[in-house]
Amino acid sequence: MAMNPMEQFKIEPIVPLHIGGYDVSFTNQSLVMVAIVAVATLFLSFSVSSRRLVPTRLQSMAELSYEFVQGMIQSAAGNDGMRFFPFVFTLFFFVLFSNFFGLIPGVFTVTSQIAVTFALAALVVLTVIVTGFLKHGIGFLKLFVPHAPLPLLFLLVPIEVISFFTRPISLSVRLFANMLAGHTMLKVFAGFVIALGGAGGILTGLAIAPMLLIVAISALELLVAFLQAYVFAVLTCIYLNEALHLHGH
Amino acid sequence: MSEGASSAPATAETTGHHEPAGFPPFKTETYPSQLFWLTISFVLLFIVVWRIALPRIGGALTARKGQIDGDLGAAEKHRREAADASAAYDAALAAAKARAHGLADENRKRLNAEVDAAKAKAEAEAQAGMQAAEARIAQTRNAARAHVAQAAQDAAAAIVQQLTGDNVSADEARAAVASVSGS
């Protein structure tokens, strides 16, 4: 039994694999990622049939997800943001399923790894940069020049540049830290339950307190899991909107 | 009791088997594997979403919207047809009522006329019968009167003959009767 709350974030190889001198073993994390893809594919593709007038529950959920992400993109990035629909949808679902899967006891939390969240955030910022330059050419650099008097620009442009390039950090650390903190907290309180339960006497009875707390925190974590996926996707939409329309034109 | 308390830290230490200890997410030696499998699963999910899931869900949504719109259109068309049919029925009913009314009126008039004609004819016939009867009565009365005068005349002649033994001529007797009856 692992009492160390960090134990749950440890990546353990299942099938050792080395390609070009790199250790790319199939790990407990890889297993969950593959499971996410499998479940998401089943949910999003095979539950949907256009022949049904009245959708099944699963199809209804898939349709709601579709319209949810569609609405998110359209409100944040306008209609020409819809070309990023598959990208934002994939991002949202990958993060959402990672967060939800992590809440199943014993299942590894993919998004509790900074490598994963940073890679996703970097992918977002890279997409923004490529889109911006493809759409506006060198004019995309105007993104860093806000409407302000010239003397102020000497101050504002560096700030804009810094804020732009810290985006991948804030985007990835927000998700990573939320997942890490939530799961650590759950594990710590679970440790209390075991320690108190084994202590005997009146302390055994007290074990109910952290137990109830775990139940409450689990509900909170469910909300956080959804909220963080939503925040990640919405921020992606907002950044893409800037790349498409510069200063909100 | 004390065993449980003491065994917990012990197991943590024995199962922890810390390799130089550290914060798992910051262990860079796991990064190649993480990024490798992340790329594979993300690209796989992206292809599924892009090529299969979104077209499929979008197709289902548009199909449903099309069907609902089509059904609503058809319902509206049927409603309009029903309203038209109802209006046509009302018109037909009104026309039929008017025609029936006309026919009844005409019938009543015709029957009234027939009845009146029959009544008039019957009255005329009755009148004629009555007049004929009155004529016949008058004739009979006159005849009777004539007979009474004849009888009086004959009686007078006979009485005179019996009393006097004279023959009285018919003209004398008639004159005598006429002078007595005052006509």
Side-chain angles (χ1 to χ4, degrees):
Chain A
M1 176 186 307
M3 287 296 282
N4 181 353
M6 288 299 138
E7 191 78 21
Q8 56 177 324
F9 303 118
K10 221 163 117 191
I11 291 173
E12 314 266 16
I14 298 174
V15 183
L17 189 68
H18 293 265
I19 297 177
Y22 288 107
D23 176 14
V24 292
S25 304
F26 189 82
T27 63
N28 50 349
Q29 184 197 34
S30 320
L31 181 69
V32 176
M33 288 199 281
V34 170
I36 287 167
V37 174
V39 173
T41 302
L42 284 175
F43 168 51
L44 294 170
S45 310
F46 297 107
S47 72
V48 177
S49 159
S50 61
R51 281 189 300 278
R52 275 195 284 265
L53 182 62
V54 177
T56 57
R57 281 174 204 202
L58 273 182
Q59 179 171 349
S60 208
M61 281 165 72
E63 286 172 3
L64 281 175
S65 315
Y66 180 99
E67 285 170 335
F68 179 72
V69 178
Q70 190 181 38
M72 189 198 308
I73 297 175
Q74 275 173 345
S75 64
N79 267 331
D80 48 349
M82 283 307 287
R83 81 179 76 157
F84 295 104
F85 193 20
F87 176 60
V88 175
F89 196 90
T90 310
L91 211 51
F92 177 66
F93 260 84
F94 191 82
V95 175
L96 186 74
F97 273 41
S98 297
N99 296 354
F100 278 162
F101 269 56
L103 283 177
I104 302 169
V107 175
F108 190 86
T109 312
V110 174
T111 39
S112 68
Q113 299 295 316
I114 185 74
V116 167
T117 61
F118 189 80
L120 292 176
L123 180 63
V124 168
V125 173
L126 221 64
T127 309
V128 166
I129 292 172
V130 170
T131 308
F133 278 116
L134 280 182
K135 177 129 193 203
H136 305 285
I138 202 76
F140 178 55
L141 292 177
K142 276 189 276 183
L143 184 69
F144 301 120
V145 187
H147 302 293
L150 190 66
L152 271 180
L153 285 183
F154 287 104
L155 190 64
L156 288 177
V157 170
I159 292 176
E160 289 282 337
V161 172
I162 291 169
S163 88
F164 185 87
F165 285 102
T166 49
R167 274 176 189 179
I169 300 170
S170 63
L171 200 55
S172 57
V173 170
R174 182 183 301 114
L175 178 58
F176 159 68
N178 265 290
M179 288 303 116
L180 191 82
H183 284 83
T184 307
M185 193 154 58
L186 282 174
K187 203 61 172 244
V188 166
F189 282 112
F192 286 169
V193 175
I194 293 163
L196 282 172
I202 192 147
L203 291 177
T204 306
L206 278 179
I208 193 77
M211 186 69 210
L212 289 175
L213 219 55
I214 288 175
V215 173
I217 293 171
S218 295
L220 179 72
E221 282 305 303
L222 210 60
L223 176 72
V224 169
F226 170 77
L227 214 59
Q228 287 306 319
Y230 177 68
V231 165
F232 201 95
V234 162
L235 284 175
T236 302
C237 292
I238 290 171
Y239 297 161
L240 285 170
N241 178 49
E242 279 185 4
L244 289 170
H245 309 115
L246 290 178
H247 291 294
H249 291 297
Chain B
M1 281 162 71
S2 59
E3 270 173 15
S6 62
S7 72
T11 48
E13 265 162 36
T14 48
T15 55
H17 56 79
H18 303 285
E19 315 119 20
F23 186 47
F26 290 164
K27 282 190 175 161
T28 47
E29 66 268 23
T30 63
Y31 287 4
S33 155
Q34 290 200 46
L35 296 179
F36 179 76
W37 289 102
L38 171 67
T39 308
I40 288 177
S41 16
F42 192 84
V43 168
L44 214 63
L45 185 61
F46 179 76
I47 290 169
V48 167
V49 164
W50 178 38
R51 285 281 155 196
I52 304 171
L54 292 188
R56 222 164 152 154
I57 302 173
L61 286 172
T62 37
R64 168 144 358 101
K65 190 166 157 28
Q67 184 159 1
I68 289 173
D69 286 353
D71 286 357
L72 281 180
E76 174 60 21
K77 194 169 138 266
H78 286 140
R79 199 192 58 77
R80 220 175 303 122
E81 278 172 7
D84 288 353
S86 161
Y89 167 78
D90 283 349
L93 190 66
K97 259 186 189 160
R99 215 161 64 83
H101 210 70
L103 276 177
D105 236 27
E106 198 182 304
N107 262 346
R108 196 164 44 238
K109 268 187 206 140
R110 195 167 51 76
L111 286 177
N112 279 349
E114 271 173 22
V115 168
D116 285 350
K119 218 197 269 176
K121 192 165 154 238
E123 265 172 16
E125 271 171 13
Q127 200 71 36
M130 221 143 70
Q131 274 167 3
E134 273 170 9
R136 224 177 23 253
I137 289 166
Q139 194 187 357
T140 311
R141 198 171 50 211
N142 290 345
R145 228 177 244 158
H147 283 143
V148 168
Q150 188 67 50
Q153 211 176 297
D154 288 352
I159 289 168
V160 168
Q161 194 183 3
Q162 287 294 320
L163 289 175
T164 62
D166 284 348
N167 266 338
V168 181
S169 75
D171 288 336
E172 282 170 337
R174 189 180 311 133
V177 167
S179 69
V180 174
S181 65
S183 62

